[in-house]
Amino acid sequence: IAGITQAPTSQILAAGRRMTLRCTQDMRHNAMYWYRQDLGLGLRLIHYSNTAGTTGKGEVPDGYSVSRANTDDFPLTLASAVPSQTSVYFCASSDGTGGNNEQFFGPGTRLTVL
Amino acid sequence: GQNIDQPTEMTATEGAIVQINCTYQTSGFNGLFWYQQHAGEAPTFLSYNVLDGLEEKGRFSSFLSRSKGYSYLLLKELQMKDSASYLCAFKGGDYKLSFGAGTTVTVRA
């Protein structure tokens, strides 16, 4: 069982380019999340999806978009990358959104925008 | 508003005990989580508290006081492999996690 996978592992991108980060889980979890992690700031929620077909905005959604066409996949797209989007991106999933539903994290994508 | 604070760094000796404190402010509360994150890796779940008191799980224990907006993670019998960042996070009224910046624990021989 793979759990939750992300691709690519790392990427260097020129500013202005479009980029999609991929996330796939095989746990049949209903909810999925995208976070960015920056030194000194901790994990910040970008977008989330409580169930397939629905998405919502997190704390820092500007410059990012997501889609949830099915249960397993939750891609994150940067339409026109900027240097401030240089970060480590983590995808996560949980069985539900209730209080005790822990989130499982993918291995992360390290993105550098030049 | 929502806010969460924890110390940036802590150092302890192998075999010792370390307590990582976390304070938070939120208008709605649905639980307090602790995650462990080794350098370059994904966060992994350690503990969940929703009621006041101590939850013990092997060498790790987590405490919650909802009235004080306070939690701590206690690591006993420290091992070198416990060197990692420990993330405190609360689940707010919207059922979304808000994370602290993390506490980097260094275990020395």
Side-chain angles (χ1 to χ4, degrees), chain A residues 33 35 37 40-45 48 50 59 90 96-108 110, chain B residues 30-33 35 37 40-46 48 50 85 87 91 94-102:
Chain A
Y33 314 84
Y35 294 90
Q37 188 174 39
L41 293 178
L43 287 158
R44 291 182 293 167
L45 183 65
Y48 65 92
N50 288 337
E59 179 186 355
F90 286 101
T97 58
N100 65 344
N101 286 120
E102 65 185 90
Q103 293 183 14
F104 295 82
F105 286 81
R110 184 174 296 275
Chain B
N30 284 292
L32 193 291
F33 290 78
Y35 281 81
Q37 185 178 24
E41 297 183 7
T44 55
F45 170 79
L46 285 179
Y48 168 75
V50 68
S85 185
L87 314 180
K91 187 168 280 190
D94 59 358
Y95 292 93
K96 300 297 175 289
L97 285 179
S98 291
F99 283 86

Side-chain angles (χ1 to χ4, degrees), chain A residues 18-34:
Chain A
R18 180 184 179 89
M19 175 74 191
T20 295
L21 308 185
R22 299 184 298 280
C23 174
T24 300
Q25 54 101 1
D26 64 2
M27 298 176 282
R28 307 303 293 171
H29 282 171
N30 287 313
M32 297 187 75
Y33 314 84
W34 274 105

